[in-house]
Amino acid sequence: MRANFRMQRLFVDADIVEASPIEAGQDQFNYLANVLRLEGGAEVLTFNGRDGEWRTGISFPSRKRIQLTPIEQTRPQPAPSDLHYLFAPLKVGRLDYLVQKAVEMGAGLLQPVMTQHVQGKITNIDRLKSNVVEAAEQCGILAIPNVTEPVKLTDLLQRWPIERRIIYCDEGDAGQNPLPLLRTIKEKHLALLVGPEGGFSEDERALLRGLDFVTAIPLGPRILRADTAAVAAMAVIQAAIGDWE
Ligand code: SAH
């Protein structure tokens, strides 16, 4: 079900129970009272990643406090997306973008992967997580994708569960059209792997191409930046074998 895009959507940590008020945190207070300038009696949509989405009333028990009172559930809690996104961290600004776009495009889990030519690093997982929440609020996703600790590519591949196929964006692939390759995939569980700004090393390409549970795909005739490649790859995967079908 598509979300209602006219109402403001707000992530809360607390359990959401009908008629049980939730105290808004300081940032939420600022956002609701000072940025959106909402008044008592206004309504927003709340979600916490567990209890679905709720139409929620706003009240001001005092000038400095807001209570959020769930009125009725508007959407039930869905299962999380099953598409895992494996990405080499980029430098900070681009990393924020990459995380937000991946969530919007339907990634269900974000796994940073350290490759030989990776330039960025994950210094603050909480920053990634707040980007995930921001994107979920923005685009109506109710199951909040998890962000896992970074792992080395070789370690990841060694203990990979082979029933989940890795779709690997190979900038060295001579082909251009990923669709025929994607359509051969039978597995239901999928992961997408996109390299760093510096690309994959020749060793990594050989390793990936030698694995039965990996499908290498091209993404057209141009070399895309890693953040663009991620969005392009997710779009073709969702359209060919994912949730746009
Ligand atoms: N510096 C590298 C490009 C890296 S692009 C070079 O010049 O070759 C970053 C990542 O985006 C790549 O590792 C790959 O996963 C993906 N990518 C970019 N363009 C692509 C394309 N045309 N086909 C497949 N993957 C691509």
Side-chain angles (χ1 to χ4, degrees), residues 168-173 193-200 217-226 229:
Y168 142 63
C169 298
D170 183 1
E171 69 271 28
D173 193 299
L193 171 64
V194 179
E197 284 113 326
F200 289 102
I217 59 163
L219 289 172
R222 290 166 290 277
I223 298 286
L224 308 174
R225 266 208 313 230

Side-chain angles (χ1 to χ4, degrees), residues 176-183 217-220 236:
Q176 299 194 354
N177 187 353
L179 288 172
L181 292 160
L182 290 174
R183 293 198 177 114
I217 59 163
L219 289 172
V236 286

